[in-house]
Amino acid sequence: MTLPSDQEASGRTFDDSEIALLSEALKSGTLTSTKGRFVRTFEERFASLMGVGAAYACASGSAAVHTAVAAIDPEPGDEIVTTSITDMGALAPIIYQGAIPVFADVDPRTYNVTAETIEKALSERTRAIIVTHLFGNPCDMGPIMELARSRRVPVIEDCAQSFLAKSGGRVTGSLGDIGCFSLQQGKHISTGEGGIVTTDDERLARRMFLFINKAWGYGDPNPDHYFLALNYRMSELQGAVALAQLDKLETVVRARIAAAAKLTERLQSLCGIETPFISQDNVHTYWKYCLRVHDDVISGGAPGLARLLKERGIASAPRYIQKPAFMCEVFQKQRTFGESRFPFTLARAEAVDYNPTRFPGTFEALHSVLALPWNENYTDEHVDYIADSIVEAAESLQQ
Ligand SMILES: *Cc1c(COP(=O)(O)O)cnc(C)c1O
């Protein structure tokens, strides 16, 4: 059986509604968002869906995180606490902005940072906390926000994988000070490449709008380039597609949750396999569906199970990003700007201490995780096929 894939039409939701708006955008002859209306309308609708005061579209999820960090405006060498399991697009912007990513460990059951792991990573120099709601499963935001507020540190939520996920009844991207989303090919909704930031804080909103626009004060009486910033704008072509995609988001999320519930029901009592752990009061929106595979029960662990699933046409990812982010060369060798190693040269020793013994949860999480591709176009037959394949594979590997 061939499963729908988010890398082409079978696993995406593009149809005549995108074509209609794209065609309108093209016929208007205005493809820049500074003059057009598609990106602006997308931003307004996204802000209202999130229940926040402002949203600004941008070029990618990486650009969204860069915009968020730039809005907070750390001094060179200031620290931003983040997670050891995330996309590099959530980390590189911190370094580009002259700040030091400081890694918090994760809970191996959820693959997410927690208030406890964040607290251990905080210092006098912490200027922000970035939480990633990994795989669509929200972090426990109650205790995290309480900690952050008590230390007066702003929180950026990386929601690239968590569209419409909820923690404590509120949607991710509206819980912290800034939310960042990606519209890359494989996310819940997509414009190929693209991103958007959200905030309820007027000062941060203003700075984010400016950062996306070369810090040019569009609409001001005497505009100038107020500070160092890039052109991170989304084009009207992407804006048109984004607008059509946004109408489908709730349906996409509902379908992903329903298919996941069906798989969880089938796998719940399978020995050696754990279905996703979701904290009370949280809603997981399944960018991926992750299993924890216990190698004391399943011979060969997650990679062993993945090999058998591959034979059945299911391309799962054991270890997800393979190694913790801090094991990549950019951190290990501090390869940044020329030979300078800037901004790592400004870092406290403890902030850049990547000794594995400091990250037990991260290594355990990556050792046992098996990320299954997940999709809104999975039918009951697809989910049954996946469930049957996992049950058969796991039973053949049980020791
Ligand atoms: C995809 C992703 C990003 C980066 O988004 P791009 O659009 O690829 O730049 C950042 N963070 C997380 C958690 C992601 O999944």
Side-chain angles (χ1 to χ4, degrees), residues 60-62 86-87 90 132 158 160-161 182 184 187 194:
S60 66
S62 308
T86 189
D87 188 278
T132 300
D158 184 345
Q161 305 181 358
S182 165
Q184 211 271 334
K187 308 297 162 116

Side-chain angles (χ1 to χ4, degrees), residues 206 215-226:
R206 168 75 175 161
W216 178 254
Y218 283 98
D220 290 359
N222 298 300
D224 195 354
H225 294 284
Y226 302 127

Side-chain angles (χ1 to χ4, degrees), residues 22 25-34 36 39 234-237:
L22 257 177
L26 273 170
K27 284 179 188 157
S28 78
T30 304
L31 298 187
T32 170
S33 64
T34 58
V39 169
M234 172 181 274
S235 86
E236 287 286 280
L237 293 173

Side-chain angles (χ1 to χ4, degrees), residues 65-396:
V65 174
H66 195 177
T67 300
V69 172
I72 286 174
D73 202 20
E75 295 298 323
D78 277 355
E79 297 172 8
I80 298 192
V81 171
T82 181
T83 170
S84 47
I85 307 183
T86 189
D87 188 278
M88 194 51 71
L91 300 173
I94 300 173
I95 305 170
Y96 268 105
Q97 212 50 31
I100 312 291
V102 177
F103 294 98
D105 200 14
V106 304
D107 180 339
R109 293 173 309 169
T110 61
Y111 322 104
N112 281 333
V113 294
T114 66
E116 291 75 42
T117 65
I118 290 169
E119 187 161 23
K120 286 186 195 147
L122 294 175
S123 84
E124 302 279 273
R125 298 189 68 183
T126 308
R127 273 294 278 128
I129 297 164
I130 303 183
V131 299
T132 300
H133 306 297
L134 204 70
F135 304 123
N137 196 10
C139 300
D140 255 327
M141 289 303 284
I144 290 175
M145 290 312 296
E146 209 173 295
L147 170 69
R149 294 294 182 241
S150 78
R151 302 291 183 96
R152 296 178 197 282
V153 177
V155 172
I156 298 168
E157 297 179 79
D158 184 345
C159 309
Q161 305 181 358
S162 72
F163 282 92
L164 299 187
K166 287 180 184 166
S167 179
R170 283 175 58 196
V171 78
T172 58
S174 73
L175 292 141
D177 298 273
I178 298 176
C180 299
F181 296 79
S182 165
L183 299 165
Q184 211 271 334
Q185 175 76 38
K187 308 297 162 116
H188 285 77
I189 53 172
S190 176
T191 58
E193 308 291 348
I196 189 161
V197 289
T198 54
T199 188
D200 224 12
D201 178 311
E202 278 178 29
R203 195 188 56 84
L204 292 173
R206 168 75 175 161
R207 276 196 63 92
M208 293 203 289
F209 168 79
L210 288 170
F211 190 73
I212 291 167
N213 286 287
K214 297 179 254 185
W216 178 254
Y218 283 98
D220 290 359
N222 298 300
D224 195 354
H225 294 284
Y226 302 127
F227 53 84
L228 180 64
L230 296 155
N231 176 354
Y232 266 164
R233 287 192 288 267
M234 172 181 274
S235 86
E236 287 286 280
L237 293 173
Q238 292 160 304
V241 174
L243 201 49
Q245 284 277 286
L246 191 58
D247 280 339
K248 299 167 184 172
L249 179 57
E250 280 172 312
T251 314
V252 163
V253 164
R254 223 176 295 129
R256 283 178 179 252
I257 292 174
K262 192 164 170 3
L263 184 62
T264 297
E265 200 185 301
R266 289 283 316 274
L267 301 182
Q268 219 147 38
S269 51
L270 192 59
C271 197
I273 303 277
E274 271 179 65
T275 54
F277 178 89
I278 307 163
S279 300
Q280 218 184 345
D281 297 331
N282 282 4
V283 176
H284 186 329
T285 59
Y286 297 96
W287 180 61
K288 302 279 186 234
Y289 184 108
C290 288
L291 296 171
R292 273 186 91 199
V293 183
H294 294 286
D295 62 1
D296 51 344
V297 179
I298 305 291
S299 128
L305 191 64
R307 258 190 305 278
L308 292 188
L309 292 180
K310 191 160 178 238
E311 287 171 14
R312 290 159 218 240
I314 302 169
S316 63
R319 301 189 64 81
Y320 178 48
I321 53 167
Q322 301 307 312
K323 55 189 179 188
F326 53 76
M327 297 296 285
C328 294
E329 282 193 27
V330 53
F331 291 104
Q332 292 288 316
K333 307 214 164 124
Q334 303 185 335
R335 290 227 183 86
T336 54
F337 304 97
E339 299 283 318
S340 73
R341 295 182 23 247
F342 179 87
F344 291 110
T345 42
L346 306 176
R348 288 182 308 126
E350 200 184 338
V352 292
D353 176 2
Y354 305 134
N355 191 319
T357 59
R358 302 179 73 212
F359 305 95
T362 298
F363 284 91
E364 191 186 330
L366 290 176
H367 179 74
S368 61
V369 69
L370 184 69
L372 295 166
W374 209 242
N375 200 271
E376 55 275 17
N377 293 344
Y378 283 177
T379 61
D380 284 351
E381 290 69 38
H382 292 131
V383 178
D384 278 331
Y385 178 76
I386 295 168
D388 292 341
S389 303
I390 292 169
V391 170
E392 276 172 46
E395 284 176 350
S396 78

